[in-house]
Amino acid sequence: FVSTSATMHALARFSCPGRSGFSLMALRTASLQPAATVGPVPSSPEFTLAPYRESSAFGFSRGSQYCLLTLRHGDFIGKDKGALDELYAEKVDARARYMDALFANADVNKSGTLDARQLKEVLAMAQLPTTDERVKHFLSYFGSGTVVNCEQFRDVLNDVWGQSVGLEFRADLGKCLDPKYTGSRAVCFIGRSLPTHGLLRTLRHTWPN
């Protein structure tokens, strides 16, 4: 979903008017209350992002250096924590299968490794076009200097895509935080100084599919 036409101004404001079925709220620096949502449909997927202030009602034990990121999504409806954990575990497994399939397709000579040309081609197949210099870095940092095996290739993709984020699931934020936090939500924390690409990675990993 981060490949849509959404625009971002620093970490201050996000908007995505309906093209991917989700909306982002404005980040405010003065309070934890989110701005009005984009789109009138309360059951539609929705991200919120706001500065966090610890309260005994929340029980998160996080400091003011964090922002609270939440996602309300239709896939969460009617699921308990165990089912939601399984939902995201399957997403992790699916990503691993996708990585292995990419490697297998690129390893045309079945050597069990990818050289610089093959690595560059498979990254482009994964919509991650890169430069010769970057490929050289990947080979030297993750591989032998000239090739990477399947496990090392996964490390390359994890470096680019980022690791999965730790999520909690809460249905009571509307009561203990703000009435605008409707429905069951995935919750995670990000640092206020997180760079833009880190925020985009977090948004992608928070999405359930």
Side-chain angles (χ1 to χ4, degrees):
F1 62 90
V2 296
S3 61
T4 68
S5 61
T7 58
M8 179 165 60
H9 305 285
L11 294 182
R13 183 168 184 81
F14 304 83
S15 65
C16 185
R19 290 194 57 181
S20 284
F22 70 92
S23 61
L24 296 175
M25 290 183 178
L27 168 62
R28 292 182 175 181
T29 57
S31 71
L32 192 55
Q33 294 185 355
T37 60
V38 179
V41 183
S43 61
S44 62
E46 173 188 272
F47 277 106
T48 67
L49 179 63
Y52 180 70
R53 292 180 181 175
E54 180 62 24
S55 167
S56 59
F58 308 149
F60 290 127
S61 299
R62 298 279 183 161
S64 60
Q65 70 270 32
Y66 289 97
C67 287
L68 179 69
L69 175 69
T70 81
L71 169 63
R72 182 189 66 203
H73 194 280
D75 286 357
F76 302 161
I77 297 174
K79 290 185 173 67
D80 60 18
K81 183 181 183 304
L84 291 170
D85 287 340
E86 289 181 8
L87 177 67
Y88 280 86
E90 171 54 28
K91 178 180 178 178
V92 172
D93 290 343
R95 184 166 100 158
R97 293 193 298 269
Y98 177 61
M99 291 177 177
D100 291 348
L102 284 173
F103 183 90
N105 288 334
D107 184 19
V108 293
N109 56 1
K110 306 307 176 185
S111 66
T113 60
L114 303 180
D115 59 22
R117 178 185 59 80
Q118 291 170 317
L119 180 57
K120 186 175 183 179
E121 289 176 354
V122 73
L123 289 174
M125 288 174 55
Q127 300 182 2
L128 298 169
T130 189
T131 63
D132 291 338
E133 182 178 352
R134 190 67 174 159
V135 168
K136 184 178 179 180
H137 164 75
F138 288 144
L139 292 172
S140 61
Y141 189 83
F142 296 103
S144 66
T146 57
V147 296
V148 291
N149 59 31
C150 187
E151 183 176 354
Q152 293 162 344
F153 175 67
R154 293 192 208 105
D155 290 338
V156 170
L157 292 182
N158 283 327
D159 181 70
V160 176
W161 287 337
Q163 298 288 347
S164 299
V165 297
L167 294 175
E168 297 185 48
F169 301 96
R170 298 282 293 262
D172 60 345
L173 295 183
K175 296 180 180 179
C176 66
L177 185 58
D178 187 281
K180 293 177 181 177
Y181 287 92
T182 56
S184 179
R185 290 179 179 264
V187 176
C188 69
F189 292 88
I190 59 175
R192 294 198 186 197
S193 59
L194 186 73
T196 299
H197 70 274
L199 174 58
L200 294 177
R201 286 177 176 180
T202 303
L203 293 173
R204 177 158 47 85
H205 289 302
T206 306
W207 197 253
N209 46 47

